[in-house]
Amino acid sequence: MCIEFELPLPPTLNQYRVPTKHRTTGKLFLTTSKEGKAYKSGLREYITKIHNISHNVHVSIILYPKTKRLIDIDNYLKCLFDGLTENNVWLDDSQVVSMYVERGEPVKGGKVYIKISKK
């Protein structure tokens, strides 16, 4: 079993989770940003089949940034994995038992190549 996708570059963790004040207590907590919600729902056009993978998986990812500016590749994974979960690629991202992530050459608009295989 092997599934491959080419997806848009997700928002970074700093763009995905934003601090929000609780209405009554005033305490800060993190919520999903508009950009994060839009990214996850926008994946539906790229992920057309429900897979519902139920076994452990290995994930290989190549992040192609928008520019030559250096990026922290780990900052892109949370939104990406949450989007794959919400679009029924797997039951939960805790099924990822190993991953390989690399930064590719910049491409216009940025993109992500992801390969999911049975572990």
Side-chain angles (χ1 to χ4, degrees):
M1 188 276 327
C2 182
I3 301 168
E4 299 177 66
F5 299 107
E6 196 168 278
L7 305 170
L9 192 66
T12 67
L13 188 56
N14 296 332
Q15 298 164 326
Y16 177 53
R17 296 286 193 190
V18 292
T20 305
K21 274 190 178 181
H22 191 274
R23 286 185 207 131
T24 56
T25 65
K27 290 184 179 182
L28 286 177
F29 61 99
L30 293 177
T31 58
T32 302
S33 67
K34 290 177 187 175
E35 294 87 354
K37 289 176 184 175
Y39 180 81
K40 292 188 298 182
S41 66
L43 289 183
R44 287 187 191 103
E45 75 179 76
Y46 298 91
I47 303 170
T48 56
K49 182 180 176 188
I50 295 174
H51 298 280
N52 281 328
I53 297 169
S54 60
H55 48 75
N56 289 340
V57 295
H58 169 76
V59 178
S60 294
I61 298 168
I62 304 174
L63 294 165
Y64 296 92
K66 297 175 185 179
T67 66
K68 290 184 178 187
R69 195 181 97 221
L70 292 178
I71 62 170
D72 292 336
I73 58 177
D74 59 316
N75 281 342
Y76 292 86
L77 302 178
K78 179 67 177 158
C79 185
L80 176 63
F81 282 13
D82 285 354
L84 294 173
T85 301
E86 286 188 23
N87 286 280
N88 301 308
V89 171
W90 47 46
L91 302 177
D92 188 72
D93 55 11
S94 64
Q95 293 168 242
V96 177
V97 295
S98 64
M99 72 174 107
Y100 171 80
V101 184
E102 74 176 76
R103 182 179 60 237
E105 292 297 317
V107 297
K108 185 176 180 179
K111 68 178 180 179
V112 175
Y113 165 79
I114 182 166
K115 180 179 176 181
I116 303 167
S117 52
K118 189 172 183 175
K119 184 65 179 173

